[in-house]
Amino acid sequence: MSSNNSKYILDKLSEINLHTTYAVDVDYLERANAKAKSYKDNNGKSRSYEEKRLDIDCEFADEIVNHSGKDFILSPTESRKHDFRFKKTPEEVIWCIDNKVVHEDEFYLHMNKYTQYLESYRQGQLHYFAFWKFIDRPTKPLKLGDKPEMLVLSVIPAGELLMKMCDPKKMTKNGEKFKIKVI
């Protein structure tokens, strides 16, 4: 049952988050700066270097999970398809999970990303979305030693979330993005 699996994943991610000691290190900053230099404009909207870094810092939840040292957290098979894989034992099932940081209780997804996620889901490369939130949303890019506090809000099966987005009523007024409640 997907709701039991969602709860199981949510509990495990919450435990990882609660016990994390991960803070921004030199490796993180080097990767974030390199990414910012290669980032393109956001769907036609020009972004400053600082805005790009703030967008990249929304991937900090990935760092928390991937630096947890837990044996049930596995590296992604394809980073464009999901952020990490989660192994549940003794069943030996592996789920592909994509972390998303939201700043409200809603997730906004641009149409082109929806198509990408739908393809990943159909290929068996995306099973769940995990939604996170900064306790205090950063207003400046993260720097060495920062350890922003986050909350894991929910874990939703990818098929369920993508199906909700098929509803035209879930589109923003300009029709460019889907808007879905995640908590």
Side-chain angles (χ1 to χ4, degrees):
M1 180 181 229
S2 65
S3 62
N4 288 339
N5 290 335
S6 292
K7 172 115 176 66
Y8 179 80
I9 296 167
L10 176 66
D11 290 346
K12 290 292 192 180
L13 292 179
S14 295
E15 182 181 313
I16 286 171
N17 185 45
L18 181 65
H19 298 294
T20 189
T21 58
Y22 184 74
V24 173
D25 59 15
V26 172
D27 288 340
Y28 174 83
L29 290 176
E30 287 174 358
R31 285 191 315 274
N33 288 328
K35 260 187 181 179
K37 290 175 184 169
S38 68
Y39 258 34
K40 306 223 182 309
D41 288 336
N42 193 6
N43 298 308
K45 179 187 171 262
S46 180
R47 294 183 287 179
S48 69
Y49 180 79
E50 187 172 271
E51 289 171 322
K52 291 175 185 179
R53 272 297 315 280
L54 282 168
D55 286 348
I56 291 165
D57 288 343
C58 284
E59 298 172 7
F60 196 74
D62 302 349
E63 300 295 325
I64 290 171
V65 172
N66 289 318
H67 285 88
S68 69
K70 299 294 184 185
D71 61 353
F72 56 87
I73 300 297
L74 308 173
S75 298
T77 53
E78 284 189 61
S79 60
R80 282 192 43 86
K81 305 283 184 183
H82 52 268
D83 293 320
F84 64 96
R85 293 177 301 140
F86 186 104
K87 181 178 178 182
K88 184 179 181 188
T89 52
E91 296 89 336
E92 298 300 316
V93 296
I94 297 176
W95 296 304
C96 301
I97 301 174
D98 202 62
N99 283 325
K100 293 293 164 210
V101 171
V102 295
H103 304 300
E104 303 168 9
D105 64 348
E106 294 171 324
F107 174 50
Y108 290 85
L109 181 65
H110 205 276
M111 185 61 124
N112 62 355
K113 290 296 276 185
Y114 172 79
T115 305
Q116 176 187 330
Y117 291 135
L118 186 59
E119 178 184 323
S120 296
Y121 174 72
R122 287 180 176 157
Q123 293 173 350
Q125 292 287 319
L126 179 62
H127 301 105
Y128 290 92
F129 286 98
F131 291 94
W132 298 64
K133 181 178 185 175
F134 286 106
I135 291 176
D136 290 314
R137 183 178 176 181
T139 56
K140 297 280 183 200
L142 297 177
K143 60 186 184 316
L144 189 64
D146 283 351
K147 186 179 177 243
E149 294 183 56
M150 300 188 82
L151 291 172
V152 187
L153 302 173
S154 64
V155 174
I156 300 173
E160 181 181 313
L161 188 77
L162 293 167
M163 186 58 101
K164 285 181 182 179
M165 292 180 173
C166 291
D167 183 351
K169 295 176 191 167
K170 304 287 184 192
M171 296 290 287
T172 54
K173 289 184 193 249
N174 63 10
E176 291 182 1
K177 296 180 183 177
F178 294 103
K179 179 173 93 172
I180 302 292
K181 285 206 177 291
V182 295
I183 55 173

